[in-house]
Amino acid sequence: MANAAAKREIPTAENKDVPGDAKRVKTDRTDGRDEEEEPECENVLCGFQTSSVLSDSAREKLLFVHGKIADQEAVVVLEKTPIREDALPELFARSTLRLEMRNDIYSTYRLQVPPHLNEIKTTVVCPATQKHLKKYQRQESFLVEETEQDYESITLPYIQQQSFSLQWVYNILEKKAEADRIVYEDPDPELGFVLLPDLKWDQKQVDDLYLIAVAHQRGIKSLRDVTSEHLPLLQNILQKGKEAILQRYELPGSGLRVYVHYQPSYYHLHVHFTKLGYEAPGCGVERAHLLSDVVQNLRADPRFYKTRTLSFPLRADDGLLGRFREAGRL
Ligand code: M7G
């Protein structure tokens, strides 16, 4: 049986004090509208022409598809959402049960549930670049050990030429996109940040909670750029990010994994906040650096991340891997 707290719905102002069964399933919308009242949007996918499946995972119930939307390259990510505990009464009462087999005390069925309990979280990237296609394509990975010198001569020149656009980040900071999704903001230009749900989280349950804190300060590309000078910023994100998550989702800091990626996909300082028990993509030791460790390391050595060798995985056709190979570093 799933842990009740883990599978619980997202607390909202409306449902916070209502006893279990009477709770209504709502997202944390700030405009007061109910999920059922959300307007349907134009189905940009109805003419989607599939080219190939980039990768899939039956275990994670996830599929990355490459195709075209009106002649533009696109990547569509389809992901079956977790079953919510609070939806169980309706799921059992209002579904159709079809028997597959029965043997002694064992029986298996197909439960055909009402459509709103059987949604697929869908992410669309359009127009998608070749770099997006590579990001989502399943590939073998190789661990690279990057010295300070490698960063200066190989990685830095590469990321200066080849990185993903940061437009979506600036749109968040300037409130041109996702403004209604902001969970918390500290507007200070030096120490401040915007905390909001990650693209990957549908906010339906705390079980797979995933938020990102995007620093207001520009120009900090990655972990390699942070020094003790940035300690006040990092500590502010760690402390206020946790407080905001406790306030909004009733999840204490001890239930969170707070980390940065090295290498990130987007070279603007941002911090990942995920639920501890949730194995978020990219939370493995080869890529995720706990923010609390980062703070401690910088306290011990102000230039820790400038000088030490950092390991990270690169996918087989990543251009950066090619550069490491050309330089004889792999
Ligand atoms: P990363 O460490 O740079 O790379 O993290 P990764 O994507 O390989 O993990 C960037 C994080 O930002 C990821 O967790 C993305 O899911 C998230 N993200 C990316 N985009 C384009 C958006 C967006 O437009 N909105 C939001 N809210 N999150 C995004």
Side-chain angles (χ1 to χ4, degrees), residues 4 12 44 52 82 186 234-235 248 258 282 302:
T12 66
V44 292
S52 64
D186 175 343
L234 301 177
Q235 283 165 314
R248 172 69 75 97
V258 185

Side-chain angles (χ1 to χ4, degrees), residues 38 150 191 270 295 301 311:
E38 282 173 29
D150 293 332
L191 305 183
H270 58 276
V295 165
D301 174 358
S311 300

Side-chain angles (χ1 to χ4, degrees), residues 201-309:
W201 187 37
D202 68 5
Q203 303 177 70
K204 296 277 168 65
Q205 57 283 307
V206 206
D207 204 26
D208 55 352
L209 176 136
Y210 199 147
L211 292 106
I212 45 168
V214 182
H216 270 299
Q217 201 181 131
R218 300 190 186 192
I220 309 170
K221 291 184 287 305
S222 72
L223 197 54
R224 273 286 183 212
D225 283 345
V226 298
T227 63
S228 56
E229 187 193 320
H230 302 110
L231 276 171
L233 167 64
L234 301 177
Q235 283 165 314
N236 193 43
I237 294 178
L238 187 58
Q239 187 198 327
K240 291 196 182 144
K242 281 184 189 174
E243 282 169 11
I245 289 174
L246 176 63
Q247 178 84 14
R248 172 69 75 97
Y249 304 104
E250 298 171 8
L251 194 63
S254 57
L256 292 173
R257 185 188 291 115
V258 185
Y259 56 97
V260 293
H261 277 155
Y262 193 73
Q263 299 284 332
S265 295
Y266 303 96
Y267 290 86
H268 173 107
L269 181 70
H270 58 276
V271 176
H272 302 249
F273 288 76
T274 62
K275 186 165 186 294
L276 194 57
Y278 168 55
E279 271 192 44
C283 76
V285 291
E286 72 279 28
R287 195 161 175 233
H289 297 250
L290 283 181
L291 191 56
S292 52
D293 285 347
V294 173
V295 165
Q296 296 225 37
N297 290 334
L298 290 174
R299 279 197 194 128
D301 174 358
R303 289 174 47 80
F304 187 91
Y305 291 100
K306 291 268 183 211
T307 54
R308 72 162 288 187
T309 295

Side-chain angles (χ1 to χ4, degrees), residues 24-43:
R24 296 168 70 209
V25 178
K26 287 182 129 187
T27 58
D28 64 340
R29 300 190 63 106
T30 50
D31 57 8
R33 269 210 324 258
D34 209 301
E35 247 182 336
E36 282 93 59
E37 289 166 19
E38 282 173 29
E40 276 180 34
C41 61
E42 185 200 350
N43 181 1

